[in-house]
Amino acid sequence: MPINVLFAAAEADWPTYREPLTRAFAEAGLDCALARDLPPDQVDYIVYAPSSAVQDFSPFTRLRAVLSLWAGVERIVGNDTLRVPLARMVDHGLTQGMTEWVVGHVLRHHLGMDSHITGQDGTWRKSVPPLARDRSVAMLGLGALGQAAARALAGLGFDVTGWSRTAKSLDGLKTDHGAEGLARVLRRAEIVVLLLPDTPQTRNILDADTLSLLPRGAIVINPGRGTLIDDDALLAALDRGQIGHATLDVFRTEPLPAEHPYWSHPRVTVTPHIAAETRPDSAARVIAENIRRGEAGEPLLHLVDRTRGY
Ligand code: NDP
């Protein structure tokens, strides 16, 4: 009997993932029947993205696990009808993409590139940026993505401090944790990068109070989730110069509505949720490995802790 795998994602994703998944299943020695449509009571695994029409998991009576194509699981983690393990996506391609996006945007601000790209006016204005070692960066979130981006920045010499919920000791990185740690980290961060999940505890983590802890003129870079920032507080902090610039990839409403003040604010850069994409080839291998593990009775990789919310 084949293992029945339901592909529950946007229709547009099907042509992108069908072949990589089929190939990865074959490479893993799995006899999988992959389909977009299957009777719920015959489905063994669901490959899932939030764009899926599946909202009620109760008819999936023999489901073994849901395997998310996305790293962020805030749109499924609280679903009471889901009673089987949920694995999120940790994919080499996704991590690499995020690292490149974060390093690129940190370097833009660190080097003051804008003044040369948009301010070229025939005047020879010399301003030499400090070296990376003299630039303090806070990485909020030290998971798969935050750690990789923090390490890349530290590798360039930046003075990086990572912050997480639980205490960590990581080679070559300064770390802090918890509510008190956040204040310590923000007080000295010239650039703050948010790579936290959306949970009740992280919502509005950058609000009027925490933004005011940052050194004046600090840069905010958010490729995490839109809910991490109180938008009104950020706009007010930008307007009074407390925040020098905000580079934002994620928003409470996506696509960001055309009338949203972020679009026209002179010191806000909007990127359309492109910081990192799951890459089909590498992600398909992660999904296949998890199905192999599920069938072998081994613990799944990248399991979401439903009570923690990520
Ligand atoms: P992980 O689950 O691996 O890591 C999450 C990190 O956040 C952990 O270090 C965790 O701490 C920390 N954290 C969670 N809650 C708190 C809290 N209350 N206080 C302090 N720290 C906390 O996630 P990933 O690194 O894989 O992904 C991070 C987020 O990036 C995703 O949830 C998603 O929202 C976003 N993302 C954005 C993309 C884009 O294109 N813009 C693409 C992919 C992901 P601890 O280590 O102690 O558990």
Side-chain angles (χ1 to χ4, degrees):
M1 277 256 289
I3 305 159
N4 288 330
V5 181
L6 178 71
F7 186 80
E11 206 175 323
D13 290 334
W14 179 234
T16 313
Y17 277 96
R18 185 182 191 165
E19 268 186 44
L21 282 169
T22 306
R23 206 168 36 242
F25 294 154
E27 281 167 12
L30 296 167
D31 177 17
C32 286
L34 175 70
R36 284 207 66 222
D37 210 4
L38 283 169
D41 62 353
Q42 290 176 28
V43 172
D44 298 302
Y45 294 89
I46 296 182
V47 175
Y48 175 88
S51 44
S52 158
V54 177
Q55 298 296 329
D56 180 4
F57 292 89
S58 35
F60 294 88
T61 47
R62 71 177 217 201
L63 188 62
R64 313 275 308 263
V66 171
L67 310 171
S68 173
L69 286 173
W70 286 32
V73 289
E74 68 277 3
R75 281 157 71 183
I76 183 176
V77 74
N79 189 322
D80 291 334
T81 66
L82 180 63
R83 304 246 158 77
V84 296
L86 168 66
R88 55 191 210 88
M89 181 50 66
V90 176
D91 154 43
H92 171 73
L94 179 80
T95 305
Q96 178 67 24
M98 182 60 82
T99 299
E100 291 177 11
W101 187 92
V102 169
V103 168
H105 286 279
V106 166
L107 282 174
R108 166 194 171 191
H109 294 297
H110 166 64
L111 296 174
M113 288 182 184
D114 288 16
S115 64
H116 304 292
I117 294 168
T118 60
Q120 192 161 292
D121 59 2
T123 315
W124 191 262
R125 266 188 301 266
K126 226 174 143 151
S127 65
V128 179
L131 288 176
R133 68 179 182 217
D134 297 319
R135 184 78 74 190
S136 57
V137 179
M139 182 66 64
L140 307 191
L142 283 174
L145 300 178
Q147 253 186 64
R151 285 193 188 289
L153 291 169
L156 288 171
F158 284 100
D159 175 10
V160 186
T161 305
W163 180 77
S164 52
R165 188 177 57 86
T166 55
K168 290 195 196 311
S169 161
L170 301 171
D171 262 2
L173 282 182
K174 286 187 269 185
T175 58
D176 212 327
H177 67 282
E180 281 179 24
L182 179 63
R184 274 192 296 270
V185 169
L186 291 181
R187 274 197 190 99
R188 59 184 301 274
E190 291 168 89
I191 300 178
V192 57
V193 181
L194 292 98
L195 270 170
L196 294 162
D198 172 8
T199 71
Q201 289 70 41
T202 61
R203 263 163 230 157
N204 291 326
I205 201 150
L206 279 196
D207 61 8
D209 290 342
T210 46
L211 285 165
S212 72
L213 295 175
L214 289 160
R216 191 169 169 78
I219 305 295
V220 171
I221 299 181
N222 184 18
R225 281 294 179 260
T227 50
L228 301 175
I229 296 180
D230 176 336
D231 294 326
D232 291 338
L234 176 59
L235 285 163
L238 282 158
D239 288 341
R240 60 171 196 278
Q242 167 62 11
I243 299 302
H245 195 103
T247 294
L248 309 172
D249 184 58
V250 283
F251 306 91
R252 281 164 199 268
T253 306
E254 294 181 8
L256 184 66
E259 65 281 6
H260 197 286
Y262 282 152
W263 281 117
S264 53
H265 199 289
R267 281 181 292 111
V268 174
T269 300
V270 170
T271 63
H273 202 144
I274 43 93
E277 276 278 306
T278 302
R279 305 291 159 152
D281 284 323
S282 43
R285 287 196 287 273
V286 176
I287 301 270
E289 169 61 8
N290 257 346
I291 294 180
R292 189 202 64 73
R293 284 170 170 253
E295 292 305 292
E298 296 172 19
L300 300 192
L301 298 171
H302 319 309
L303 276 179
V304 173
D305 179 335
R306 307 278 302 274
T307 51
R308 213 174 56 169
Y310 67 97

